[in-house]
Amino acid sequence: MIALRDVCKTWDGGQSYAVNNLSLQIEQGEVLALLGGSGSGKSTTVKMINRLIEPSGGVIEIDGENIIEQDPVQLRRRIGYVFQSIGLFPHMTILENVNILPKMLGQDAGAYKAKGSQLLDMVELPAAQYADRYPHQLSGGQRQRVGFARALAVDPKVMLLDEPFGALDPVTRDSLQAEFLRLQQELGFTAVIVTHDMAEALLLADKIAVMKDGELLRFGTPRELLQDAGDEYVAQLLETPRRHGRLIHDLETT
């Protein structure tokens, strides 16, 4: 579904690389977590997939088509994109925000308004209650739900999510992670989610790609990484959720 082969990104003519010779494949309906710290190249990678950033080398394909051979605007309109700052238009109602891309594409107004209402219901913001509100009238978690609904408005086969839960409180974050899993399983889209949180990656992803300094260190299923970290840095990332689990276990048994 999504294939990256020897993908590179350099900002200084090859003296250094934000992403260097990255190769991986994501199958239809899978969720891939791009995991790493700041400067690892994960956000650069996800932005190259929808050409918000142009790759310096290598090949990125979606459904077997090279993205460089496609119009970047049309490409982005077929890909759902959710990011941490959400980016809702403050002067538009919630329903208008959800419907902005179908409107830009010239779809039938009656159809996309009805679908927008259905999407709000799907992300547990009942249209009868929330459609006419404005972004400032919602909590951060509710605004992120609107971001999910907006990204789903054109039935994307691919969803890109760049730290979508990072700014949320733990309870809201847990709720939206469960909501994301429910939507992904119900709709079957392929997703790439950027995160620095190993526990989040283990919870949400079918495959995990661990990056550091632009390089791919480890690629595999959560079970494969837990059984064999394969790298000291990956082992350190895995230690945090393991330590938290041991602390909780100790508290429950004392």
Side-chain angles (χ1 to χ4, degrees), residues 88-226:
L88 301 182
F89 294 99
H91 62 288
M92 293 183 178
T93 67
I94 299 309
L95 185 59
E96 288 170 341
N97 268 280
V98 172
N99 289 335
I100 188 165
L101 189 52
K103 182 178 181 180
M104 290 172 60
L105 293 173
Q107 296 181 7
D108 177 74
Y112 71 64
K113 287 179 181 178
K115 181 173 183 181
S117 295
Q118 292 173 354
L119 286 170
L120 285 176
D121 292 341
M122 186 179 291
V123 298
E124 298 184 354
L125 293 174
Q129 185 177 353
Y130 290 96
D132 295 328
R133 296 190 187 184
Y134 288 84
H136 74 272
Q137 296 175 301
L138 304 185
S139 69
Q142 289 172 330
R143 290 195 296 271
Q144 196 65 287
R145 289 176 186 271
V146 178
F148 283 134
R150 183 177 61 182
L152 294 168
V154 289
D155 297 317
K157 292 182 179 179
V158 174
M159 287 275 284
L160 305 177
L161 304 98
D162 195 351
E163 299 275 10
F165 312 114
L168 301 174
D169 66 85
V171 173
T172 303
R173 181 173 183 157
D174 182 68
S175 173
L176 277 185
Q177 287 172 343
E179 188 70 14
F180 165 75
L181 283 176
R182 182 184 66 81
L183 289 170
Q184 194 276 331
Q185 291 165 5
E186 182 175 337
L187 300 175
F189 52 77
T190 304
V192 180
I193 181 167
V194 170
T195 181
H196 62 270
D197 185 339
M198 176 59 86
E200 183 169 84
L202 293 170
L203 173 67
L204 298 181
D206 300 298
K207 301 280 180 60
I208 299 173
V210 182
M211 299 182 68
K212 184 181 181 185
D213 299 328
E215 304 275 354
L216 179 65
L217 296 184
R218 188 76 164 86
F219 178 62
T221 66
R223 181 179 295 275
E224 288 169 342
L225 267 66
L226 287 166

